[in-house]
Amino acid sequence: MRTSALPVTLTAAVSALALAACTGSADDPASDPAAPATSSAAPSSPATPATATTSRISGAPAGLRDVVTARYGSAVTGSAERGRWRGDAVAVVTGSGDQDGDVTLAVRPRGRQGWKVVGGWWPSLGLTKGKTQLGGRGHVLLIGSDARPGEDPARTRADALQLLGVDGTGGAGLMGFARDLWVPIPGHGEGKLNSALVYGGPQGQVDTVRRLTGIRPRGYVLTGFEGFEGVVDDLGGLSFRAPFSMDSHLTGGQIDKGARRLSGRQALAWSRERKSLPGGDFDRSRNQGLLLAAAALQARLAGPAVLPRALTVVDRHTESDLTGEEMLLFAAAFYRVDPGQVGRAVAKGPTGTAAGQSVVRLDDASRAAFRDFRDGRISG
C-alpha cells in the first residue's frame, strides 16, 4: 500500500509549479496591485522598533517593507515577490547577503489596508523550526473535475482526487484515491467516491473524503481539464521524467520514456490515461502523483520566491475555499520538508458490484494508510 519516499519537497499545489519570479517595478507602491496606500498592520511578534529606511528590500512597497523590518528588528536586505490568491495579496521576501536563507511570508487580506507577517523561517535569527511558523499539521484535497466544455466543474464527477498533507515537523505525504471506491456519501447514502462532487459540490467531496479517511482537510483546490492545461502552459510547461513510454488515444498522450518538458495537454493526457495501464485506475492515480512530484521538484529548484507568481497563476484556473494566508503557509511548508520523510499511497481495494455498477471496495491496507496519514505524513 505504501511506497518509498518521494525525492521532493513541494507540491501543492498543484500547485506550486513555477518557473520564474514575478516581474514589476521595485519600490513604487502605485505600480503594485497588491500594495496598500498606507499600512496599519502590526508585526506578528514583538521586536525592536526599526524604520523602513533601514531596510533594502527590492520589490516591496513601504507597508510590506515596514512589517518585515519590524519582524527582524534590524536592517534587512533582500527582495520581495508578490501575487494574489482568492483576492488576498500574498508576498514572499527572501534574504540576501547576511540574511541569505531567510524567508518571510506576508499577506494583505482582501479589504484590509495593512500587510501582516504570517510565517516563514529565519536562520539568521536562530528561528529555523517550521512547526509554529508555517501552520503546523494539515491536509488539502486536490480535486480534478471531469467537466467538459459548458459543464460546471464544481458539479461534475471528480476525475482525480489527491490528498496532500504535512505533519509540521518535516514529514509529508500524498494519497490518491480510486475514483470508483464505494463509500458512504453524507446525505446521499452510498455511491462512488467521485460522485460526491455531483451531489454536494467541492465541500461535499471534502466531507466524503473526511468521513472515509478520518482526516479533516483544511480545504480544497478544484480545477477542470482546461484549468489544468492552463496552469501548466501559463507557467511554461512541466519538467518530467516519464518512467515508461505512453501511447494513449488521448490528444497529447504519445509520450516517450525519459526526461522531457510536458505541455499542458501532454500533462493532462498523462494524468488521465488508464486504458493502457496494467493497473487501470489504480495506476492512473499513481501517475497523477508522479506529476505532482515533478511539479514539486520544479518549484523546489526554483526556490520559495516563485510562490506568489505560481499561486497567482493557479488562482486564475482553479476554485478554492482556502484563504491567501492558508494557501501561502501550506505551500511554503513543503520547503521545510525532509525528502526522506515524504511518502505516497493509493486508496484502493478489490473490485465488485453495487447497485448494478462495477465498484472498488476499500481494503484493510488502505484503512491502515488512512490512520498512518492522519498526522500529515505517510511512512516510507
Side-chain angles (χ1 to χ4, degrees):
M1 182 64 206
R2 285 168 285 182
T3 67
S4 59
L6 289 170
V8 300
T9 54
L10 176 75
T11 199
V14 213
S15 286
L17 298 162
L19 305 175
C22 298
T23 60
S25 74
D27 291 305
D28 179 10
S31 70
D32 176 18
T38 61
S39 173
S40 59
S44 61
S45 60
T48 303
T51 63
T53 57
T54 64
S55 296
R56 297 183 304 278
I57 306 175
S58 62
L64 175 58
R65 192 164 56 238
D66 286 349
V67 297
V68 173
T69 301
R71 179 64 182 83
Y72 277 90
S74 60
V76 184
T77 301
S79 61
E81 302 295 345
R82 290 162 287 150
R84 286 191 177 276
W85 179 266
R86 317 315 296 172
D88 295 341
V90 297
V92 174
V93 178
T94 52
S96 61
D98 292 339
Q99 307 295 343
D100 190 28
D102 290 356
V103 173
T104 303
L105 310 172
V107 173
R108 182 173 66 86
R110 178 172 46 189
R112 304 278 184 88
Q113 294 235 336
W115 288 88
K116 64 174 182 177
V117 172
V118 296
W121 53 94
W122 305 274
S124 69
L125 302 181
L127 304 173
T128 58
K129 295 187 180 298
K131 184 174 182 180
T132 59
Q133 300 292 324
L134 293 170
R137 181 175 66 191
H139 302 77
V140 168
L141 183 65
L142 310 181
I143 307 171
S145 172
D146 195 27
R148 308 307 163 97
E151 294 181 332
D152 182 359
R155 288 289 181 173
T156 308
R157 288 177 180 267
D159 188 67
L161 293 166
Q162 298 280 340
L163 186 63
L164 183 64
V166 292
D167 68 3
T169 59
L174 180 65
M175 175 172 285
F177 294 83
R179 59 182 183 170
D180 289 345
L181 282 169
W182 191 252
V183 301
I185 299 176
H188 296 279
E190 291 186 312
K192 290 186 177 181
L193 177 62
N194 67 340
S195 69
L197 190 61
V198 177
Y199 294 127
Q203 190 56 56
Q205 189 69 76
V206 170
D207 291 343
T208 301
V209 169
R210 176 187 56 77
R211 181 167 180 176
L212 175 66
T213 63
I215 297 169
R216 183 181 296 276
R218 293 180 182 176
Y220 66 86
V221 178
L222 165 75
T223 191
F225 295 152
E226 291 181 359
F228 180 86
E229 285 190 39
V231 169
V232 176
D233 287 338
D234 284 0
L235 288 168
L238 176 62
S239 296
F240 183 67
R241 182 174 293 278
F244 56 86
S245 296
M246 176 180 287
D247 186 13
S248 171
H249 69 289
L250 298 169
T251 303
Q254 292 69 50
I255 300 171
D256 292 333
K257 179 180 179 180
R260 60 204 63 262
R261 194 166 198 84
L262 301 183
S263 67
R265 183 155 295 182
Q266 289 175 312
L268 180 63
W270 180 273
S271 71
R272 293 186 61 207
E273 175 59 24
R274 64 183 175 86
K275 292 183 178 180
S276 66
L277 303 177
D281 194 40
F282 304 152
D283 284 350
R284 181 175 71 161
S285 186
R286 289 192 180 92
N287 281 350
Q288 292 163 359
L290 290 177
L291 280 183
L292 290 174
L297 182 58
Q298 186 164 303
R300 173 66 177 182
L301 292 174
V306 305
L307 281 174
R309 177 176 182 263
L311 294 183
T312 301
V313 169
V314 174
D315 183 49
R316 286 202 297 265
H317 297 286
T318 64
E319 299 178 29
S320 179
D321 61 347
L322 296 167
T323 66
E325 178 175 345
E326 290 170 332
M327 189 62 179
L328 181 61
L329 285 173
F330 189 74
F334 285 87
Y335 284 96
R336 308 303 289 171
V337 165
D338 178 353
Q341 297 186 50
V342 183
R344 283 188 300 148
V346 175
K348 57 185 181 61
T351 57
T353 59
Q357 307 174 71
S358 175
V359 301
V360 175
R361 302 284 186 179
L362 192 69
D363 60 22
D364 289 340
S366 298
R367 292 188 178 91
F370 294 158
R371 293 190 293 271
D372 177 37
F373 197 25
R374 286 174 189 170
D375 66 355
R377 174 189 172 190
I378 296 177
S379 303

